[in-house]
Amino acid sequence: MAKIPRNFRLLEELEKGEKGIGDGSCSYGLEDGDDIMMSNWNGTLIGPGHTVHENRIYSLKIHCGESYPDKPPTVQFLSRVNLPFVNQTDGKVDPAKLSVLSQWGRDSSIETVLVGIRREMASFNNRKLPQPPEGSTF
């Protein structure tokens, strides 16, 4: 099967993100519409119901490097959150501690990452973790 070039792949993801395809609990788009390399993205997650995250809105920065989608993007929370895979100093997500990044494959996407993070928020170990005040940032 032919390998889709990085920019074609990112254009596809941009279109999907702008149309809001998915379950509506996460959205994403380019940080700067003039970014021709499509490297820097913003993401938003709505915390899953029946958890300490319910109705909270989390903002993230996502960076797709030159080797994306062969290598996963880097992800950083802008909104303060207490999760085992998030560095409490700068909000960076540790790829080794988040399965959606550690088990990255070419068929994974920005949406896959956001959905995976949201799933982790709802997991048994994380759903009741004490959280910083709503609206606080890194």
Side-chain angles (χ1 to χ4, degrees):
M1 193 165 94
K3 204 167 139 177
I4 299 171
R6 176 186 181 276
N7 281 13
F8 287 12
R9 170 65 183 276
L10 286 168
L11 269 172
E12 213 172 84
E13 290 193 47
L14 178 61
E15 191 175 304
K16 194 173 180 185
E18 285 177 341
K19 283 184 179 165
I21 299 169
D23 68 357
S25 61
C26 27
S27 64
Y28 53 96
L30 280 175
E31 189 176 286
D32 176 3
D34 295 331
D35 177 6
I36 58 167
M37 292 307 293
M38 294 181 278
S39 297
N40 298 307
W41 297 67
N42 291 321
T44 304
L45 291 175
I46 298 172
H50 312 293
T51 72
V52 292
H53 308 284
E54 186 168 20
N55 296 325
R56 285 189 173 208
I57 296 172
Y58 296 98
S59 298
L60 304 91
K61 279 176 71 158
I62 300 147
H63 178 78
C64 298
E66 286 181 28
S67 51
Y68 183 88
D70 294 316
K71 295 217 168 87
T74 56
V75 182
Q76 180 178 11
F77 273 85
L78 300 175
S79 307
R80 195 165 275 288
V81 65
N82 177 26
L83 290 166
F85 52 86
V86 178
N87 182 309
Q88 291 305 300
T89 308
D90 58 14
K92 289 186 177 158
V93 173
D94 181 345
K97 294 180 181 173
L98 184 65
S99 63
V100 73
L101 292 175
S102 65
Q103 297 167 13
W104 182 262
R106 261 191 84 81
D107 55 341
S108 301
S109 66
I110 293 170
E111 183 178 350
T112 316
V113 172
L114 293 174
V115 169
I117 289 172
R118 193 165 183 273
R119 189 178 317 113
E120 279 300 315
M121 288 175 154
S123 75
F124 179 78
N125 292 331
N126 300 328
R127 63 186 309 127
K128 293 187 176 168
L129 282 178
Q131 294 299 315
E134 196 167 349
S136 54
T137 56
F138 282 105

mmCIF file of all heavy atoms in Angstrom, residues 88-124:
data_model
loop_
_atom_site.group_PDB
_atom_site.id
_atom_site.type_symbol
_atom_site.label_atom_id
_atom_site.label_comp_id
_atom_site.label_asym_id
_atom_site.label_seq_id
_atom_site.Cartn_x
_atom_site.Cartn_y
_atom_site.Cartn_z
ATOM 1 N N GLN A 88 3.480 17.464 36.077
ATOM 2 C CA GLN A 88 2.793 18.487 36.880
ATOM 3 C C GLN A 88 3.514 19.837 36.875
ATOM 4 O O GLN A 88 3.009 20.814 37.413
ATOM 5 C CB GLN A 88 2.585 17.990 38.313
ATOM 6 C CG GLN A 88 1.577 16.858 38.400
ATOM 7 C CD GLN A 88 0.230 17.213 37.770
ATOM 8 O OE1 GLN A 88 -0.429 18.150 38.187
ATOM 9 N NE2 GLN A 88 -0.184 16.464 36.752
ATOM 10 N N THR A 89 4.681 19.902 36.249
ATOM 11 C CA THR A 89 5.414 21.162 36.151
ATOM 12 C C THR A 89 5.036 21.931 34.896
ATOM 13 O O THR A 89 4.788 23.128 34.941
ATOM 14 C CB THR A 89 6.944 20.903 36.140
ATOM 15 O OG1 THR A 89 7.266 20.081 37.255
ATOM 16 C CG2 THR A 89 7.710 22.200 36.220
ATOM 17 N N ASP A 90 4.981 21.216 33.747
ATOM 18 C CA ASP A 90 4.764 21.916 32.478
ATOM 19 C C ASP A 90 3.573 21.406 31.657
ATOM 20 O O ASP A 90 3.287 21.933 30.591
ATOM 21 C CB ASP A 90 6.032 21.868 31.625
ATOM 22 C CG ASP A 90 6.494 20.443 31.319
ATOM 23 O OD1 ASP A 90 5.710 19.485 31.531
ATOM 24 O OD2 ASP A 90 7.636 20.291 30.865
ATOM 25 N N GLY A 91 2.880 20.362 32.134
ATOM 26 C CA GLY A 91 1.704 19.862 31.423
ATOM 27 C C GLY A 91 1.992 18.913 30.279
ATOM 28 O O GLY A 91 1.079 18.475 29.580
ATOM 29 N N LYS A 92 3.279 18.581 30.061
ATOM 30 C CA LYS A 92 3.617 17.688 28.944
ATOM 31 C C LYS A 92 3.176 16.263 29.246
ATOM 32 O O LYS A 92 3.318 15.772 30.361
ATOM 33 C CB LYS A 92 5.118 17.734 28.655
ATOM 34 C CG LYS A 92 5.518 19.048 28.030
ATOM 35 C CD LYS A 92 6.955 19.061 27.595
ATOM 36 C CE LYS A 92 7.243 20.386 26.902
ATOM 37 N NZ LYS A 92 8.640 20.730 26.884
ATOM 38 N N VAL A 93 2.642 15.612 28.214
ATOM 39 C CA VAL A 93 2.204 14.227 28.332
ATOM 40 C C VAL A 93 3.403 13.319 28.086
ATOM 41 O O VAL A 93 4.121 13.485 27.096
ATOM 42 C CB VAL A 93 1.072 13.926 27.317
ATOM 43 C CG1 VAL A 93 0.734 12.447 27.304
ATOM 44 C CG2 VAL A 93 -0.171 14.758 27.641
ATOM 45 N N ASP A 94 3.639 12.375 28.999
ATOM 46 C CA ASP A 94 4.728 11.416 28.870
ATOM 47 C C ASP A 94 4.249 10.270 27.979
ATOM 48 O O ASP A 94 3.397 9.491 28.385
ATOM 49 C CB ASP A 94 5.124 10.897 30.250
ATOM 50 C CG ASP A 94 6.281 9.910 30.213
ATOM 51 O OD1 ASP A 94 6.622 9.393 29.117
ATOM 52 O OD2 ASP A 94 6.842 9.635 31.287
ATOM 53 N N PRO A 95 4.807 10.175 26.752
ATOM 54 C CA PRO A 95 4.327 9.140 25.822
ATOM 55 C C PRO A 95 4.481 7.719 26.361
ATOM 56 O O PRO A 95 3.682 6.848 26.032
ATOM 57 C CB PRO A 95 5.182 9.337 24.569
ATOM 58 C CG PRO A 95 6.072 10.492 24.810
ATOM 59 C CD PRO A 95 5.877 10.975 26.212
ATOM 60 N N ALA A 96 5.479 7.484 27.202
ATOM 61 C CA ALA A 96 5.690 6.140 27.740
ATOM 62 C C ALA A 96 4.572 5.733 28.702
ATOM 63 O O ALA A 96 4.329 4.554 28.914
ATOM 64 C CB ALA A 96 7.041 6.071 28.452
ATOM 65 N N LYS A 97 3.873 6.717 29.269
ATOM 66 C CA LYS A 97 2.834 6.428 30.260
ATOM 67 C C LYS A 97 1.423 6.472 29.690
ATOM 68 O O LYS A 97 0.454 6.289 30.416
ATOM 69 C CB LYS A 97 2.936 7.426 31.418
ATOM 70 C CG LYS A 97 4.219 7.288 32.224
ATOM 71 C CD LYS A 97 4.249 8.296 33.343
ATOM 72 C CE LYS A 97 5.526 8.177 34.141
ATOM 73 N NZ LYS A 97 5.627 9.262 35.139
ATOM 74 N N LEU A 98 1.302 6.753 28.398
ATOM 75 C CA LEU A 98 -0.020 6.829 27.769
ATOM 76 C C LEU A 98 -0.037 5.876 26.581
ATOM 77 O O LEU A 98 0.653 6.095 25.587
ATOM 78 C CB LEU A 98 -0.313 8.268 27.324
ATOM 79 C CG LEU A 98 -1.699 8.513 26.735
ATOM 80 C CD1 LEU A 98 -2.789 8.295 27.783
ATOM 81 C CD2 LEU A 98 -1.798 9.920 26.172
ATOM 82 N N SER A 99 -0.840 4.818 26.675
ATOM 83 C CA SER A 99 -0.810 3.748 25.669
ATOM 84 C C SER A 99 -1.071 4.240 24.248
ATOM 85 O O SER A 99 -0.476 3.747 23.297
ATOM 86 C CB SER A 99 -1.779 2.633 26.037
ATOM 87 O OG SER A 99 -3.102 3.130 26.047
ATOM 88 N N VAL A 100 -1.946 5.233 24.080
ATOM 89 C CA VAL A 100 -2.272 5.708 22.730
ATOM 90 C C VAL A 100 -1.031 6.323 22.054
ATOM 91 O O VAL A 100 -0.935 6.326 20.827
ATOM 92 C CB VAL A 100 -3.474 6.680 22.757
ATOM 93 C CG1 VAL A 100 -3.105 8.027 23.347
ATOM 94 C CG2 VAL A 100 -4.092 6.836 21.391
ATOM 95 N N LEU A 101 -0.056 6.773 22.849
ATOM 96 C CA LEU A 101 1.196 7.298 22.283
ATOM 97 C C LEU A 101 2.285 6.230 22.261
ATOM 98 O O LEU A 101 3.031 6.122 21.288
ATOM 99 C CB LEU A 101 1.677 8.526 23.072
ATOM 100 C CG LEU A 101 0.807 9.774 22.947
ATOM 101 C CD1 LEU A 101 1.314 10.881 23.866
ATOM 102 C CD2 LEU A 101 0.738 10.275 21.513
ATOM 103 N N SER A 102 2.371 5.425 23.312
ATOM 104 C CA SER A 102 3.427 4.403 23.359
ATOM 105 C C SER A 102 3.193 3.292 22.335
ATOM 106 O O SER A 102 4.128 2.652 21.883
ATOM 107 C CB SER A 102 3.562 3.816 24.764
ATOM 108 O OG SER A 102 2.399 3.107 25.128
ATOM 109 N N GLN A 103 1.922 3.083 21.954
ATOM 110 C CA GLN A 103 1.600 2.046 20.957
ATOM 111 C C GLN A 103 1.206 2.690 19.627
ATOM 112 O O GLN A 103 0.381 2.163 18.894
ATOM 113 C CB GLN A 103 0.472 1.167 21.500
ATOM 114 C CG GLN A 103 0.865 0.431 22.756
ATOM 115 C CD GLN A 103 -0.326 -0.193 23.463
ATOM 116 O OE1 GLN A 103 -1.419 -0.289 22.922
ATOM 117 N NE2 GLN A 103 -0.118 -0.615 24.694
ATOM 118 N N TRP A 104 1.786 3.820 19.344
ATOM 119 C CA TRP A 104 1.482 4.606 18.142
ATOM 120 C C TRP A 104 1.700 3.795 16.873
ATOM 121 O O TRP A 104 2.664 3.047 16.758
ATOM 122 C CB TRP A 104 2.384 5.839 18.116
ATOM 123 C CG TRP A 104 2.123 6.738 16.965
ATOM 124 C CD1 TRP A 104 2.832 6.766 15.796
ATOM 125 C CD2 TRP A 104 1.113 7.732 16.835
ATOM 126 N NE1 TRP A 104 2.305 7.720 14.952
ATOM 127 C CE2 TRP A 104 1.249 8.326 15.566
ATOM 128 C CE3 TRP A 104 0.093 8.175 17.664
ATOM 129 C CZ2 TRP A 104 0.414 9.347 15.118
ATOM 130 C CZ3 TRP A 104 -0.734 9.188 17.223
ATOM 131 C CH2 TRP A 104 -0.571 9.764 15.967
ATOM 132 N N GLY A 105 0.810 3.974 15.908
ATOM 133 C CA GLY A 105 0.953 3.374 14.589
ATOM 134 C C GLY A 105 0.571 4.405 13.545
ATOM 135 O O GLY A 105 -0.101 5.393 13.854
ATOM 136 N N ARG A 106 0.977 4.197 12.315
ATOM 137 C CA ARG A 106 0.683 5.160 11.237
ATOM 138 C C ARG A 106 -0.803 5.451 11.069
ATOM 139 O O ARG A 106 -1.191 6.497 10.576
ATOM 140 C CB ARG A 106 1.216 4.631 9.903
ATOM 141 C CG ARG A 106 2.539 5.219 9.505
ATOM 142 C CD ARG A 106 2.881 4.876 8.069
ATOM 143 N NE ARG A 106 2.262 5.782 7.113
ATOM 144 C CZ ARG A 106 2.729 6.986 6.800
ATOM 145 N NH1 ARG A 106 3.790 7.439 7.386
ATOM 146 N NH2 ARG A 106 2.119 7.733 5.913
ATOM 147 N N ASP A 107 -1.634 4.499 11.498
ATOM 148 C CA ASP A 107 -3.074 4.706 11.353
ATOM 149 C C ASP A 107 -3.659 5.517 12.509
ATOM 150 O O ASP A 107 -4.834 5.862 12.507
ATOM 151 C CB ASP A 107 -3.802 3.365 11.201
ATOM 152 C CG ASP A 107 -3.488 2.409 12.334
ATOM 153 O OD1 ASP A 107 -2.471 2.603 13.032
ATOM 154 O OD2 ASP A 107 -4.262 1.452 12.519
ATOM 155 N N SER A 108 -2.828 5.842 13.505
ATOM 156 C CA SER A 108 -3.271 6.684 14.611
ATOM 157 C C SER A 108 -3.338 8.131 14.136
ATOM 158 O O SER A 108 -2.747 8.477 13.117
ATOM 159 C CB SER A 108 -2.300 6.573 15.791
ATOM 160 O OG SER A 108 -2.211 5.239 16.239
ATOM 161 N N SER A 109 -4.061 8.970 14.882
ATOM 162 C CA SER A 109 -4.242 10.363 14.465
ATOM 163 C C SER A 109 -4.351 11.272 15.688
ATOM 164 O O SER A 109 -4.386 10.797 16.823
ATOM 165 C CB SER A 109 -5.520 10.481 13.633
ATOM 166 O OG SER A 109 -6.647 10.198 14.458
ATOM 167 N N ILE A 110 -4.453 12.571 15.431
ATOM 168 C CA ILE A 110 -4.655 13.527 16.518
ATOM 169 C C ILE A 110 -5.940 13.169 17.266
ATOM 170 O O ILE A 110 -5.980 13.168 18.491
ATOM 171 C CB ILE A 110 -4.709 14.971 15.962
ATOM 172 C CG1 ILE A 110 -3.338 15.365 15.402
ATOM 173 C CG2 ILE A 110 -5.173 15.952 17.031
ATOM 174 C CD1 ILE A 110 -3.314 16.665 14.615
ATOM 175 N N GLU A 111 -6.976 12.832 16.526
ATOM 176 C CA GLU A 111 -8.242 12.456 17.160
ATOM 177 C C GLU A 111 -8.059 11.216 18.035
ATOM 178 O O GLU A 111 -8.583 11.157 19.150
ATOM 179 C CB GLU A 111 -9.323 12.200 16.111
ATOM 180 C CG GLU A 111 -10.666 11.890 16.731
ATOM 181 C CD GLU A 111 -11.774 11.666 15.707
ATOM 182 O OE1 GLU A 111 -11.568 11.930 14.508
ATOM 183 O OE2 GLU A 111 -12.843 11.221 16.131
ATOM 184 N N THR A 112 -7.304 10.236 17.548
ATOM 185 C CA THR A 112 -7.046 9.015 18.325
ATOM 186 C C THR A 112 -6.418 9.377 19.666
ATOM 187 O O THR A 112 -6.770 8.815 20.703
ATOM 188 C CB THR A 112 -6.058 8.076 17.587
ATOM 189 O OG1 THR A 112 -6.406 7.988 16.224
ATOM 190 C CG2 THR A 112 -6.025 6.701 18.181
ATOM 191 N N VAL A 113 -5.476 10.326 19.640
ATOM 192 C CA VAL A 113 -4.779 10.749 20.861
ATOM 193 C C VAL A 113 -5.769 11.403 21.832
ATOM 194 O O VAL A 113 -5.818 11.060 23.012
ATOM 195 C CB VAL A 113 -3.619 11.719 20.529
ATOM 196 C CG1 VAL A 113 -3.030 12.315 21.794
ATOM 197 C CG2 VAL A 113 -2.544 11.012 19.720
ATOM 198 N N LEU A 114 -6.569 12.338 21.334
ATOM 199 C CA LEU A 114 -7.517 13.044 22.203
ATOM 200 C C LEU A 114 -8.551 12.088 22.802
ATOM 201 O O LEU A 114 -8.848 12.147 23.994
ATOM 202 C CB LEU A 114 -8.205 14.175 21.433
ATOM 203 C CG LEU A 114 -7.279 15.323 21.012
ATOM 204 C CD1 LEU A 114 -8.020 16.313 20.133
ATOM 205 C CD2 LEU A 114 -6.678 16.024 22.215
ATOM 206 N N VAL A 115 -9.062 11.187 21.977
ATOM 207 C CA VAL A 115 -10.035 10.195 22.462
ATOM 208 C C VAL A 115 -9.365 9.281 23.502
ATOM 209 O O VAL A 115 -9.965 8.951 24.530
ATOM 210 C CB VAL A 115 -10.634 9.386 21.283
ATOM 211 C CG1 VAL A 115 -11.438 8.195 21.773
ATOM 212 C CG2 VAL A 115 -11.496 10.288 20.414
ATOM 213 N N GLY A 116 -8.105 8.905 23.256
ATOM 214 C CA GLY A 116 -7.361 8.056 24.194
ATOM 215 C C GLY A 116 -7.140 8.742 25.535
ATOM 216 O O GLY A 116 -7.273 8.117 26.596
ATOM 217 N N ILE A 117 -6.817 10.033 25.506
ATOM 218 C CA ILE A 117 -6.623 10.795 26.750
ATOM 219 C C ILE A 117 -7.938 10.850 27.520
ATOM 220 O O ILE A 117 -7.985 10.626 28.725
ATOM 221 C CB ILE A 117 -6.091 12.216 26.456
ATOM 222 C CG1 ILE A 117 -4.634 12.141 25.971
ATOM 223 C CG2 ILE A 117 -6.213 13.109 27.690
ATOM 224 C CD1 ILE A 117 -4.068 13.459 25.476
ATOM 225 N N ARG A 118 -9.015 11.125 26.801
ATOM 226 C CA ARG A 118 -10.336 11.220 27.440
ATOM 227 C C ARG A 118 -10.735 9.866 28.057
ATOM 228 O O ARG A 118 -11.299 9.808 29.144
ATOM 229 C CB ARG A 118 -11.371 11.680 26.413
ATOM 230 C CG ARG A 118 -12.664 12.102 27.039
ATOM 231 C CD ARG A 118 -13.523 12.875 26.052
ATOM 232 N NE ARG A 118 -14.731 13.315 26.706
ATOM 233 C CZ ARG A 118 -15.828 12.583 26.801
ATOM 234 N NH1 ARG A 118 -15.872 11.367 26.275
ATOM 235 N NH2 ARG A 118 -16.889 13.045 27.425
ATOM 236 N N ARG A 119 -10.408 8.782 27.359
ATOM 237 C CA ARG A 119 -10.708 7.444 27.880
ATOM 238 C C ARG A 119 -9.935 7.208 29.181
ATOM 239 O O ARG A 119 -10.457 6.655 30.144
ATOM 240 C CB ARG A 119 -10.349 6.381 26.841
ATOM 241 C CG ARG A 119 -10.825 4.991 27.225
ATOM 242 C CD ARG A 119 -10.528 3.918 26.176
ATOM 243 N NE ARG A 119 -10.795 4.319 24.806
ATOM 244 C CZ ARG A 119 -9.850 4.496 23.870
ATOM 245 N NH1 ARG A 119 -8.585 4.301 24.152
ATOM 246 N NH2 ARG A 119 -10.184 4.858 22.657
ATOM 247 N N GLU A 120 -8.670 7.659 29.219
ATOM 248 C CA GLU A 120 -7.855 7.515 30.431
ATOM 249 C C GLU A 120 -8.432 8.333 31.588
ATOM 250 O O GLU A 120 -8.364 7.924 32.737
ATOM 251 C CB GLU A 120 -6.402 7.938 30.164
ATOM 252 C CG GLU A 120 -5.586 6.869 29.491
ATOM 253 C CD GLU A 120 -5.498 5.589 30.301
ATOM 254 O OE1 GLU A 120 -5.255 5.637 31.532
ATOM 255 O OE2 GLU A 120 -5.694 4.508 29.709
ATOM 256 N N MET A 121 -8.992 9.511 31.268
ATOM 257 C CA MET A 121 -9.608 10.342 32.313
ATOM 258 C C MET A 121 -10.752 9.589 32.985
ATOM 259 O O MET A 121 -10.991 9.750 34.185
ATOM 260 C CB MET A 121 -10.166 11.640 31.712
ATOM 261 C CG MET A 121 -9.133 12.634 31.297
ATOM 262 S SD MET A 121 -9.962 14.027 30.475
ATOM 263 C CE MET A 121 -8.772 15.318 30.791
ATOM 264 N N ALA A 122 -11.454 8.773 32.212
ATOM 265 C CA ALA A 122 -12.614 8.044 32.719
ATOM 266 C C ALA A 122 -12.247 6.693 33.321
ATOM 267 O O ALA A 122 -13.109 6.002 33.872
ATOM 268 C CB ALA A 122 -13.628 7.843 31.583
ATOM 269 N N SER A 123 -10.973 6.314 33.230
ATOM 270 C CA SER A 123 -10.579 4.991 33.733
ATOM 271 C C SER A 123 -10.727 4.922 35.255
ATOM 272 O O SER A 123 -10.713 5.942 35.958
ATOM 273 C CB SER A 123 -9.142 4.658 33.329
ATOM 274 O OG SER A 123 -8.234 5.403 34.120
ATOM 275 N N PHE A 124 -10.838 3.720 35.761
ATOM 276 C CA PHE A 124 -11.071 3.495 37.189
ATOM 277 C C PHE A 124 -10.045 4.215 38.057
ATOM 278 O O PHE A 124 -10.382 4.822 39.066
ATOM 279 C CB PHE A 124 -11.061 1.981 37.480
ATOM 280 C CG PHE A 124 -11.279 1.667 38.924
ATOM 281 C CD1 PHE A 124 -12.558 1.725 39.474
ATOM 282 C CD2 PHE A 124 -10.221 1.347 39.748
ATOM 283 C CE1 PHE A 124 -12.761 1.450 40.826
ATOM 284 C CE2 PHE A 124 -10.423 1.074 41.098
ATOM 285 C CZ PHE A 124 -11.697 1.128 41.631
#
